Amino acid sequence: MSVDPKDFSPGLNEWAPPPEGYSSGSRLERVLRQGRFAVTAELNPPDSADPEDVFEAARPLAEVVDAINATDASGANCHMSSIGICSLLTRAGYGTIYQISCRDRNRIAIQGDVLGAAAMGVRNVLCLTGDGVGVGDQPGAKPVFDLDSISLLRALKTMRDEGAFLSGRKISRPPPLFLGAAENPCVTPVEWRPERLAKKIEAGAEYIQTNYIFDMPVFEAFMARVRDLGLDKKVFILAGVGPLASPRAARWMRSNVPGIHIPEHVIERMEKAEKPGEEGKRICIELIQQIREIQGVAGVHVMAYRREHQVSEIILESGVLAGRRPVARRSRVQGQGRPAGEPRMEG
Amino acid sequence: MYRLRLWSVRHARGLERVYKWVEGAMVGLDPVFSRLGYARVERPVALVERSVKTLLFDCEMCGQCVLSSTGMSCPMNCPKQLRNGPCGGVRPGGYCEVKPWMRCVWCDAWEGAQRMRNGAWIHEVLPPVDRSLKGSSSWLRVAREKAAERGHSETKSRARRIVAKAFAGARRNEPASAPLAEEPQSAVNREAQR
């Protein structure tokens, strides 16, 4: 028996084959394919070996999102691994997105990890190239980049659809994955970003999470081109947003974190504000509300680095959930009455 | 050489024509190469190829040349060796995230492709590089692939078959990027043999 696409009730066996027309049957995939405005958020991975630190970070997010992204050493900084976090959270009943960067692992490691993650119940993956090692905390590390985000997408699609590794060896039970990728609409070469998106879709991407959007006119132009190419019909686009902490932090991010474009007027607005932190949150909420009105946008992805405490306020105040209950964790009480050592397994 | 590399992108159209001609010549020479043995011609041809392409493209001799699909801008010069387009970290003005003094290889590739007859090839999803072919001649590989298409030899490698299948479009445009013909021993792991 396959998963009922509309049934988000706890205890549902998502190990069952995906429903007709679904790649994975994960909750995120079902939310998107049913045309609901999806909300995802990024979890900042702990520098710790304590699982409780992961759950502590995940709990407040799970109340307001459909899936939680576990970053893979983003910015080339070492933290707890994405696969570790996703495995812990998935087996405790949370919806997760496993981020895979090509920077640190070659094709042998990545394909094996994907099977391992899928066996743990992880269903959503996000294929990334990854930042260069130079910006991270261990710039002396060897950059791998054996695959790139697009060949990674095609490799995972091959594992899923052909049931084979890139070596041609058969996979007896292929991983039912919902394949995602990133896009950075506001960064050079802006005129080519929609074409690159098309290539990612061609390679296998089914959903997209974008980098930070602060420049609405540029994003709107991007989306107009995306609609012209008919790409919004082929892929679910989740626009990336996040609260800025202060004008200084914004300037620092702009010049030190790769791929971040923040227009000057946004920073000036924060400078004029009495409480820059609150203003950053306000700006983020307004951006979400504007993004929601753009045709072809399927959801938002909130990245609140060191501002996790603001995520739930941002999402609730923006009104994007429109009274809907998110599904990253179905309910607080769902775990009760279940025998210990038998965690629920869902994507 | 960096400046010559930029020149090559500016003259992508002309180089595309030259490249087509070289390719045709290599394919035409297949009977000669076959008689002499591809194993034997590998070294001298690779030497010539290395000299020419290092000068024009800062070639890294990946052995799986895809310049015709990348606007004559060699993707192996990208610090992340991306084969399918720019990363999300390109700096304002089109400069590299990792080497800020260098033009983004993929911004150049895009511009080069606009000038080329087969510029649309840049949209095709290219497979990951087979690292065991580093240092070998891509020109000879193309010749072997074209000859193999005429039924000379077929690979026994499952890995090659799945890559050629998964990246069928790339295989069509750039047979050396997803090769199927049998490789002579001297063309595999050349870097280790050197």
Side-chain angles (χ1 to χ4, degrees):
Chain A
M1 254 265 301
S2 69
V3 179
D4 175 2
K6 291 200 161 40
D7 184 5
F8 289 99
S9 62
L12 186 65
N13 181 13
E14 295 195 29
W15 292 90
E20 190 65 30
Y22 285 72
S23 315
S24 73
S26 79
R27 281 173 279 174
L28 175 67
E29 183 183 10
R30 287 185 282 138
V31 164
L32 286 167
R33 291 206 195 276
Q34 286 169 34
R36 306 190 212 177
F37 198 81
V39 183
T40 58
E42 193 170 280
L43 177 139
N44 296 320
D47 294 334
S48 145
D50 186 351
E52 191 44 43
D53 289 336
V54 174
F55 292 120
E56 206 170 289
R59 263 180 228 118
L61 298 179
E63 301 298 321
V64 288
V65 305
D66 296 309
I68 298 170
N69 281 63
T71 56
D72 185 8
S74 73
N77 291 300
C78 186
H79 304 289
M80 188 193 282
S81 70
S82 181
I83 192 170
I85 293 170
C86 285
S87 299
L88 278 171
L89 290 179
T90 304
R91 291 182 75 86
Y94 293 84
T96 57
I97 297 177
Y98 170 34
Q99 297 197 184
I100 307 172
S101 148
C102 296
R103 180 194 52 235
D104 307 319
R105 280 164 300 153
N106 69 8
R107 64 193 84 176
I108 300 173
I110 290 177
Q111 292 174 87
D113 278 352
V114 163
L115 283 192
M120 296 296 276
V122 177
R123 293 290 174 265
N124 311 307
V125 296
L126 187 74
C127 300
L128 304 166
T129 295
D131 303 316
V133 295
V135 296
D137 63 345
Q138 300 179 51
K142 179 173 186 181
V144 178
F145 297 112
D146 187 25
L147 307 178
D148 57 42
S149 59
I150 295 180
S151 56
L152 171 60
L153 278 167
R154 187 57 69 79
L156 299 189
K157 186 178 158 69
T158 304
M159 286 175 71
R160 183 190 69 194
D161 298 346
E162 305 286 330
F165 293 109
L166 282 183
S167 65
R169 236 174 50 243
K170 287 272 166 255
I171 299 169
S172 62
R173 184 156 172 194
L177 302 172
F178 189 39
L179 295 175
E183 187 47 79
N184 203 351
C186 305
V187 161
T188 316
V190 283
E191 68 282 8
W192 193 29
R193 293 285 167 192
E195 317 277 346
R196 181 171 173 265
L197 176 65
K199 202 167 176 179
K200 291 198 169 183
I201 297 167
E202 186 57 35
E206 299 169 288
Y207 71 95
I208 296 289
Q209 291 178 315
T210 78
N211 284 50
Y212 287 108
I213 307 292
F214 287 108
D215 197 330
M216 282 308 287
V218 174
F219 182 60
E220 277 168 10
F222 169 84
M223 284 306 299
R225 177 83 183 123
V226 164
R227 289 193 300 270
D228 286 347
L229 294 169
L231 303 179
D232 58 323
K233 302 277 185 288
K234 295 182 184 166
V235 77
F236 300 105
I237 298 172
L238 283 73
V241 292
L244 294 165
S246 68
R248 232 188 76 187
R251 288 226 157 78
W252 185 88
M253 269 169 68
R254 191 166 63 174
S255 42
N256 291 291
V257 184
I260 292 193
H261 165 67
I262 308 172
E264 195 56 33
H265 68 84
V266 174
I267 300 181
E268 278 168 9
R269 181 174 157 190
M270 291 187 73
E271 272 166 347
K272 286 188 196 125
E274 232 167 80
K275 289 185 188 161
E278 281 301 301
E279 194 66 11
K281 189 181 108 183
R282 196 69 246 153
I283 292 170
C284 184
I285 291 170
E286 287 172 19
L287 283 170
I288 293 177
Q289 288 165 342
Q290 290 168 37
I291 283 167
R292 199 192 173 181
E293 299 304 316
I294 300 175
Q295 199 197 330
V297 176
V300 286
H301 173 52
V302 185
M303 295 167 282
Y305 182 64
R306 289 190 182 155
R307 318 286 297 166
E308 296 85 349
H309 57 282
Q310 290 184 332
V311 172
S312 116
E313 292 167 36
I314 287 169
I315 291 168
L316 294 175
E317 285 177 35
S318 73
V320 278
L321 286 173
R324 179 171 78 80
R325 291 195 70 188
V327 297
R329 187 161 172 80
R330 186 57 190 161
S331 75
R332 278 174 201 276
V333 293
Q334 66 181 7
Q336 289 179 4
R338 298 183 63 81
E342 191 204 304
R344 288 184 336 99
M345 299 169 201
E346 288 185 28
Chain B
M1 209 164 63
Y2 182 57
R3 284 174 68 178
L4 213 50
R5 190 213 294 180
L6 298 185
W7 178 91
S8 299
V9 171
R10 283 201 303 277
H11 296 82
R13 182 68 183 260
L15 284 170
E16 181 186 28
R17 213 171 303 148
V18 173
Y19 235 74
K20 273 261 143 2
W21 183 84
V22 171
E23 190 183 297
M26 295 306 279
V27 176
L29 284 169
D30 170 62
V32 180
F33 293 144
S34 295
R35 180 163 310 169
L36 290 171
Y38 272 97
R40 212 171 329 150
V41 292
E42 175 67 36
R43 253 181 93 171
V45 174
L47 197 73
V48 174
E49 183 174 340
R50 183 185 290 269
S51 326
V52 174
K53 280 164 59 174
T54 303
L55 186 72
L56 285 175
F57 310 109
D58 281 345
C59 170
E60 299 267 329
M61 288 298 279
C62 68
Q64 300 193 285
C65 193
V66 289
L67 280 166
S68 305
S69 298
T70 61
M72 292 289 160
S73 170
C74 172
M76 299 309 276
N77 287 308
C78 163
K80 301 182 186 177
Q81 298 193 343
L82 303 184
R83 286 226 149 193
N84 283 297
C87 69
V90 182
R91 292 169 191 265
Y95 287 89
C96 175
E97 170 200 321
V98 179
K99 299 179 177 174
W101 58 89
M102 184 177 91
R103 287 270 304 159
C104 166
V105 165
W106 277 99
C107 288
D108 282 350
W110 178 241
E111 285 167 21
Q114 307 293 76
R115 301 188 179 103
M116 290 167 68
R117 189 184 294 268
N118 288 325
W121 285 9
I122 201 166
H123 300 305
E124 205 60 67
V125 178
L126 294 175
V129 183
D130 180 340
R131 314 281 165 176
S132 71
L133 304 180
K134 188 168 167 57
S136 67
S137 164
S138 185
W139 291 349
L140 286 176
R141 189 156 289 110
V142 173
R144 281 195 297 270
E145 288 308 317
K146 298 275 178 181
E149 276 170 20
R150 296 197 298 264
H152 286 205
S153 72
E154 228 346 73
T155 183
K156 292 181 193 76
S157 158
R158 271 191 304 194
R160 293 200 153 191
R161 283 203 302 265
I162 193 91
V163 170
K165 186 178 174 198
F167 297 86
R171 157 104 194 131
R172 199 164 45 240
N173 297 345
E174 302 276 14
S177 73
L180 280 174
E182 283 299 328
E183 300 279 352
Q185 260 310 311
S186 59
V188 183
N189 290 320
R190 274 193 67 78
E191 219 54 13
Q193 294 169 27
R194 268 159 71 91

